[in-house]
């Protein structure tokens, strides 16, 4: 696929949004849903794909997006929602970038249509390379915190049906239910009541067992005495 310098073409390839500056300061227009800037970093190079260098600009990490604004009079840039960032990490690999950077992989699965069949799409990668390498760790932590504010809705449990699953709780409740079911209908009585019910109208019911026990006792004693004599 031939590389294009048109911002709209680039944005469509990588799942980005073209953003215009709000004023002469080069800051981006923020969304109306309470978007706030949590981190602002100057002189950050943006590289897309294998080596599609976009130049130097200012990076704005907001509560909704990652926005990079190109330096210059007619400031324009790109933004990406956190849901489109598959992963992000700090990279110090010289094969990834000339300096330490924020390396990200983007979700571009919805950006290519049937006309692109047979054509290899660009690598869905974005690198944010600050001129000041010491800023990389700070950028990473701010980005991570803001990404946590925007979980993927597909990964969340649907709260509409009120369903919640906790395996340990479910197992414990299952054991309790089985125990309650097993005990259901069993009447706990005193020992006296049990004995009377067992004996009933036959008081000599267990007499034979007692007599047999008495007969066995002398025999066992006799055998024991014989053993001692040896």
């Amino acid at each position: 696929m031939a590389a294009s310098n048109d911002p709209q073409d680039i944005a469509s390839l990588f799942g980005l949004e073209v953003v215009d500056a709000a004023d002469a300061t080069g800051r981006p227009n923020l969304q109306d849903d309470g978007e706030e800037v949590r981190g602002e970093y100057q002189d950050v190079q943006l590289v897309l794909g294998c080596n599609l260098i976009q130049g130097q600009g200012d990076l704005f990490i907001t509560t909704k997006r990652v926005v990079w604004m190109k330096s210059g009079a007619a400031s324009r840039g790109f933004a990406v929602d956190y849901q489109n960032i598959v992963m992000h990490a700090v990279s110090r690999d010289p094969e990834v970038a000339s300096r330490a950077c924020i390396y990200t992989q983007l979700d571009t699965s919805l950006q290519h249509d049937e006309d692109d069949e047979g054509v290899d799409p660009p690598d869905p990668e974005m690198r944010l390379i600050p001129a000041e390498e010491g800023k990389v760790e700070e950028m990473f932590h701010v980005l991570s915190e803001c990404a946590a504010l925007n979980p993927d809705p597909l990964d969340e449990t649907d709260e509409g049906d009120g369903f919640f699953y906790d395996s340990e709780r479910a197992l414990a409740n299952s054991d309790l239910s089985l125990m309650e079911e097993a005990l259901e209908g069993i009447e706990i009585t005193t020992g006296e009541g049990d004995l009377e019910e067992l004996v009933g109208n036959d008081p000599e019911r267990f007499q034979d067992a007692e007599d047999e026990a008495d007969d066995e006792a002398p025999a066992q004693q006799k055998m024991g005495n014989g053993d001692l004599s040896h």
Side-chain angles (χ1 to χ4, degrees), residues 137-190:
E137 292 290 344
E138 179 185 336
M139 290 165 54
F140 173 79
H141 288 299
V142 175
L143 197 158
S144 298
E145 290 175 357
C146 291
L149 300 175
N150 299 269
D152 190 337
L154 297 179
D155 293 337
E156 293 183 313
T157 302
D158 185 6
E159 298 178 356
D161 57 6
F163 177 80
F164 172 78
Y165 181 74
D166 184 323
S167 59
E168 293 184 359
R169 184 179 300 178
L171 183 60
N173 290 340
S174 175
D175 293 342
L176 181 60
S177 298
L178 291 174
M179 182 180 295
E180 291 176 347
E181 182 178 349
L183 293 176
E184 187 177 0
I186 296 179
E187 182 179 357
I188 306 300
T189 61
T190 63

Side-chain angles (χ1 to χ4, degrees), residues 44-55:
V44 177
Q45 184 183 51
L46 173 65
V47 180
L48 298 171
C50 182
N51 196 30
L52 194 57
I53 300 174
Q54 299 301 304

Side-chain angles (χ1 to χ4, degrees), residues 3-5 10 14 44-57 68 70 78 96-99 125-127 129:
S4 172
N5 292 325
I10 294 173
F14 292 94
V44 177
Q45 184 183 51
L46 173 65
V47 180
L48 298 171
C50 182
N51 196 30
L52 194 57
I53 300 174
Q54 299 301 304
Q56 300 296 121
W68 177 86
K70 186 176 179 65
F78 300 104
V96 174
S98 58
R99 298 188 301 274
E125 300 172 343
M126 179 176 73
R127 300 170 186 80
I129 311 170

Side-chain angles (χ1 to χ4, degrees), residues 55-70:
Q56 300 296 121
D58 296 335
L59 177 67
F60 299 87
I61 301 177
T62 82
T63 53
K64 300 293 183 181
R65 303 173 295 170
V66 175
V67 185
W68 177 86
M69 303 299 295
K70 186 176 179 65

